[in-house]
């Protein structure tokens, strides 16, 4: 069984996916962390993030691994845990450029499709492209202001700057961010985390 939870930036996908996965006793898989790891490694190597062939060659030479734990995913490059650096603002700013390359998307999809089900898969295109046959699909939304307010607890910038960056990223990610036609869309704006998790679990009969 695969449950897909897609949605716009900072819509609560990771926290919701983690909660749903824990309730079901299965792992969750954060596809965004692979795009973020690709971006971090590209920035560290001073690569041009728009040069997809060069970036991909660099990534393929590294022993990169996504560890899909229910409490929170981690990305490793060999023995090095990349996770603490994946949510810095420089990665936020570059990740959509990386995610726009079809070669980079294929690189991420390849890794995701190797994972053994069951799991909850979280991202932008889990229900549309990567796991189109998943029996349970969800898509989370919320207004940019609410999302910026939630994220301001995790970023040093002020809420206006975070909101502007989220709107810019939504625009750049639009191509891969459409809800699957069979996804249940949930506006998380008026809901608390536990309520969103409860709605999803109710819908899948748990
Ligand atoms: O929570 P937030 O949306 O900020 O981040 P994320 O889910 O870690 O995704 C980071 C970025 O990765 C997004 O802005 C997209 O550019 C890209 N992404 C994607 O293109 N497709 C996915 N399935 C997941 C993430």
């Amino acid at each position: 069984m695969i449950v897909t939870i897609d949605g716009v930036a900072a819509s609560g996908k990771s926290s919701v996916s983690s909660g749903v996965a824990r309730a079901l006793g299965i792992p969750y898989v954060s596809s965004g962390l692979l795009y973020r790891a690709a971006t971090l490694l590209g920035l560290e190597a001073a690569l041009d993030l728009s040069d997809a062939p060069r970036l991909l060659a660099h990534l393929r030479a590294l022993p990169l691994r996504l560890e899909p734990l229910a409490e929170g995913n981690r990305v490793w490059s060999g023995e090095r845990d990349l996770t603490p650096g994946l949510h810095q603002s420089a990665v936020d700013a570059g990740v959509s450029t990386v995610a726009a390359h079809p070669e980079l998307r294929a690189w991420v999809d390849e890794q995701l499709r190797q994972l053994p089900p069951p799991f909850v898969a979280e991202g932008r295109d889990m229900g549309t492209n990567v796991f189109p046959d998943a029996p349970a699909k969800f898509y989370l939304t919320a207004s940019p202001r609410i999302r910026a307010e939630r994220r301001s607890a995790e970023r040093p910038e002020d809420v206006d700057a975070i909101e502007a960056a989220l709107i810019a990223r939504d625009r750049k990610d639009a191509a891969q961010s459409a809800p699957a036609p069979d996804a249940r869309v949930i506006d998380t704006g008026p809901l608390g985390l536990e309520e969103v998790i409860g709605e999803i679990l109710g819908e899948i009969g748990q």
Side-chain angles (χ1 to χ4, degrees), residues 8-10 13 31-33 35-36 95-96 99 105 122-126 151 169 173 176:
V8 289
K13 298 180 303 288
S31 56
L33 286 192
Y35 289 103
R36 288 177 176 275
V95 67
S96 301
R105 304 200 68 78
E122 176 248 303
R124 298 287 187 294
D125 61 343
M126 298 299 97
R151 196 139 279 192
R169 196 144 62 87
D173 288 335
Q176 67 265 14

Side-chain angles (χ1 to χ4, degrees), residues 2 4 6 29 31 34-35 105-115 119 121-134 137 176 180:
I2 296 177
T4 63
D6 289 305
V29 172
S31 56
L34 285 171
Y35 289 103
R105 304 200 68 78
W107 173 82
V108 168
D109 296 353
E110 194 182 291
Q111 297 178 66
L112 298 174
R113 292 196 182 108
Q114 281 169 13
L115 297 169
F119 53 76
E122 176 248 303
R124 298 287 187 294
D125 61 343
M126 298 299 97
T128 47
N129 283 327
V130 186
F131 303 112
D133 299 330
K137 300 182 184 178
Q176 67 265 14

Side-chain angles (χ1 to χ4, degrees), residues 64-205:
L64 212 70
R65 185 170 60 85
L66 176 71
E67 188 181 17
L69 303 170
E71 321 76 82
N73 283 204
R74 311 203 78 79
V75 184
W76 298 86
S77 175
E79 296 292 294
R80 178 180 166 211
D81 185 0
L82 300 178
T83 321
L86 297 181
H87 283 94
Q88 51 183 306
S89 304
V91 174
D92 288 343
V95 67
S96 301
T97 302
V98 170
H101 301 307
E103 307 93 308
L104 260 297
R105 304 200 68 78
W107 173 82
V108 168
D109 296 353
E110 194 182 291
Q111 297 178 66
L112 298 174
R113 292 196 182 108
Q114 281 169 13
L115 297 169
F119 53 76
V120 176
E122 176 248 303
R124 298 287 187 294
D125 61 343
M126 298 299 97
T128 47
N129 283 327
V130 186
F131 303 112
D133 299 330
K137 300 182 184 178
F138 299 88
Y139 190 91
L140 308 186
T141 63
S143 73
R145 192 67 186 178
I146 285 178
R147 291 185 280 135
E149 280 164 3
R150 287 180 186 156
R151 196 139 279 192
S152 67
E154 306 159 4
R155 297 288 191 282
E157 292 83 5
D158 70 31
V159 72
D160 289 332
I162 295 171
E163 183 179 7
L166 285 176
I167 292 171
R169 196 144 62 87
D170 284 351
R171 201 170 296 131
K172 289 187 200 156
D173 288 335
Q176 67 265 14
S177 299
D182 52 344
R184 161 94 196 282
V185 178
I186 301 176
D187 178 1
T188 70
L191 302 174
L193 176 59
E194 292 306 323
E195 289 172 296
V196 181
I197 294 169
E199 258 198 65
I200 292 179
L201 291 172
E203 188 87 12
I204 59 185

